[in-house]
Amino acid sequence: MSFTLDLCKFIDLPKIHDPRGNLTFIEGNQHVPFDIQRVYYLYDVPGGSERGGHAHKALHQLIIAMSGSFDVVLDDGKDKKRFHLNRSYNGLYVCPMIWRELDNFSSGSVCMVLASNRYEEGDYYRDYAEFMRARWKA
Ligand code: TYD
C-alpha cells in the first residue's frame, strides 16, 4: 500500500451533546483506523513555535486540537496541504510516510495525538532529504 496525502483526512468523532457539557469518545479500530498504543500531548507552546518536522515510517496518528487551535502541514513528497485544527470533536488522521509540521499555535492550545505504536526513535525520519529518498524508493 502506498501512503499518500489523500489518505490523510479529518475524522468526525462522536459527540454526545449535553447541557452539562459535551462528551467525545474515541475507540481504537472503531473511530480511528488503528489500535491506540500511545497518547501524548503538546501544551504550554510558546507563540511562534514550530513542532514536528519529521515523518514516521510505520506510525498512524490522529491529531486533535483539544483546546485552542493550530495548523498541521502535511507533505507526502509530491503534494503538500495545510489543515487548520480547532475542534475537539474533529481529528486529523495522518498515515505513515508523511512529513508533518505544526505551527500557528494559539495561546493555551493543547494538541493531543493518538498513536498506533509506542515511542520508537527508529521509526522517525528527521531529515527531509532522507525522507524524500525513502519516498521515491517506495
Ligand atoms: P518529537 O516527536 O520530535 O516532538 P514534535 O514532533 O512535537 O516536535 O519529540 C520530542 C522529544 O520527545 C524527543 O526527544 C522524543 C521525545 N518523545 C518521547 O520520549 N516519547 C514520545 O511519545 C514522543 C512523541 C516524544
Side-chain angles (χ1 to χ4, degrees):
M1 171 168 199
S2 91
F3 291 113
T4 51
L5 195 53
D6 51 296
L7 294 177
C8 303
K9 291 194 163 76
F10 277 116
I11 293 179
D12 275 329
L13 299 165
K15 186 178 180 189
I16 311 289
H17 293 266
D18 192 308
R20 299 170 302 161
N22 298 328
L23 183 152
T24 286
F25 55 93
I26 308 165
E27 296 178 357
N29 282 315
Q30 182 71 28
H31 305 106
V32 290
F34 55 86
D35 200 20
I36 300 164
Q37 295 286 337
R38 177 167 51 117
V39 177
Y40 66 91
Y41 34 96
L42 302 170
Y43 52 98
D44 293 346
V45 180
S49 272
E50 291 176 10
R51 303 283 319 212
H54 61 251
H56 288 281
K57 296 174 185 173
L59 196 71
H60 299 255
Q61 293 179 306
L62 188 81
I63 305 177
I64 305 169
M66 295 303 282
S67 183
S69 65
F70 52 87
D71 288 356
V72 181
V73 179
L74 300 182
D75 172 0
D76 65 5
K78 187 166 164 276
D79 298 307
K80 205 169 177 171
K81 193 168 171 188
R82 178 175 286 271
F83 296 85
H84 185 61
L85 279 67
N86 63 352
R87 297 276 180 258
S88 47
Y89 53 84
N90 243 218
L92 178 63
Y93 166 67
V94 183
C95 67
M97 296 303 287
I98 303 287
W99 191 268
R100 88 284 314 277
E101 276 160 19
L102 286 74
D103 62 16
N104 201 20
F105 286 90
S106 69
S107 78
S109 57
V110 179
C111 166
M112 184 174 79
V113 183
L114 310 182
S116 64
N117 285 104
R118 295 173 70 166
Y119 172 72
E120 204 185 316
E121 185 58 35
D123 184 64
Y124 281 75
Y125 287 110
R126 291 197 183 271
D127 178 64
Y128 189 77
E130 191 196 341
F131 162 70
M132 287 299 275
R133 280 195 295 277
R135 278 246 53 137
W136 293 118
K137 224 172 9 159

